[in-house]
Structure formats: structure tokens, C-alpha cells
Amino acid sequence: MTRKVLISLFVSIVVVHVQTISLETEKKEIERVLEKQIAGWNNGSIEQFMTGYAETDSVRFASGGTVTLGWNAMLARYKKEYPDSAAMGRLQFSEIAISFLAPNVAMVFGKWSLTRANDAPWGLFTLIFQKSIHGWRIIHDHTSSNK
């Protein structure tokens, strides 16, 4: 009986350890998506920034009391709001917290900030990421601004 309990306990510990390693790997993959978005933005490429989003008609961006639905509509919105590198400024993310809602769904909370010649806007965001055959992608973005 004691042997069965010890084996059961050992297997439980191994499973929890493997799940923890797996979640850490998934967190790193999500962090890489965010890093690629920052790099794209700071290189003046909204298209590269947008690779972090699921390229679907159902991806949702909510900000400033409006909702933009669909990847193409989001791309057009970003290009209108940020027509050049000066308007884009330099992007930073901080205070990143990643929580898993399911094995293939994660919620990311963080703070964004832009450094531009004449101002430094910032705000908070909550992103829902979903993992698919294309990797981790944002399917929902709710972003606020300090303005």
C-alpha cells in the first residue's frame, strides 16, 4: 500500500513539474510575440506589428469607446492613427502579467507607452491570446489611454 502511495505521489509531482515547464515555455512564446510587435512598431512597420494579431475577420480591438472588428479593419485603423514614424514614436511594454485561461488561451495584462518628440502617451491593455497552428496570436485587445 505504501509503495502505491509513493508511486502515485511521485507521478503527481512529475506531472505538475512538466505542466509548469510547459506553461513557462508557452509564456516565453507569448513574450516573443510581444517583442516582435515592439520591434515592428519601433522600425516603423505597422504590418510587422500586426503579425501579433490573428489574421481573421473576428479579431477585436476595443479602445476609446469604439470597437474595430477584423484584421484588415484594424490595420487600416492603425495606419490612419499612426501615418508615419513620428506619430508612431517609440513603443515600450511593461508590467506584463500572463495568465492561462486554458491550455491554448492566455490573458495578458500590461502597460504600453510611446515616446514621441512632443508627448509621451501611455495606457493599459488586456489581450486575449489563442494558440493555433500559426502559434500564439491576439484575438481580443482592449486598450486604454491616459488621455
Side-chain angles (χ1 to χ4, degrees):
M1 180 78 168
T2 305
R3 184 173 182 201
K4 285 183 180 179
V5 170
L6 287 174
I7 290 171
S8 190
L9 180 62
F10 175 76
V11 169
S12 296
I13 290 170
V14 169
V15 167
V16 168
H17 180 70
V18 168
Q19 287 174 338
T20 301
I21 291 171
S22 178
L23 287 180
E24 287 305 312
T25 300
E26 299 300 329
K27 279 186 178 183
K28 287 183 186 339
E29 287 182 26
I30 291 169
E31 288 168 349
R32 277 195 289 277
V33 171
L34 296 171
E35 289 164 4
K36 284 176 69 176
Q37 284 193 295
I38 292 168
W41 188 274
N42 291 339
N43 287 330
S45 175
I46 290 174
E47 290 83 359
Q48 187 180 352
F49 173 80
M50 288 291 296
T51 64
Y53 290 92
E55 199 168 334
T56 67
D57 293 335
S58 61
V59 65
R60 180 183 310 263
F61 178 79
S63 185
T66 63
V67 175
T68 304
L69 195 60
W71 192 90
N72 288 319
M74 286 175 57
L75 177 63
R77 180 193 178 283
Y78 272 114
K79 285 186 171 188
K80 180 181 176 192
E81 295 290 322
Y82 302 97
D84 56 34
S85 293
M88 291 174 76
R90 185 144 188 89
L91 176 64
Q92 283 188 290
F93 291 156
S94 60
E95 301 177 31
I96 300 297
I98 301 172
S99 306
F100 287 90
L101 306 176
N104 68 329
V105 179
M107 180 175 64
V108 178
F109 176 84
K111 180 179 178 181
W112 63 270
S113 59
L114 292 179
T115 303
R116 300 190 289 206
N118 297 319
D119 64 355
W122 62 272
L124 304 174
F125 60 82
T126 303
L127 308 172
I128 303 296
F129 274 79
Q130 185 173 41
K131 189 172 187 177
S132 71
I133 60 169
H134 304 292
W136 287 98
R137 296 291 183 272
I138 301 163
I139 60 169
H140 179 89
D141 178 342
H142 188 192
T143 296
S144 66
S145 174
N146 66 324
K147 291 184 178 184

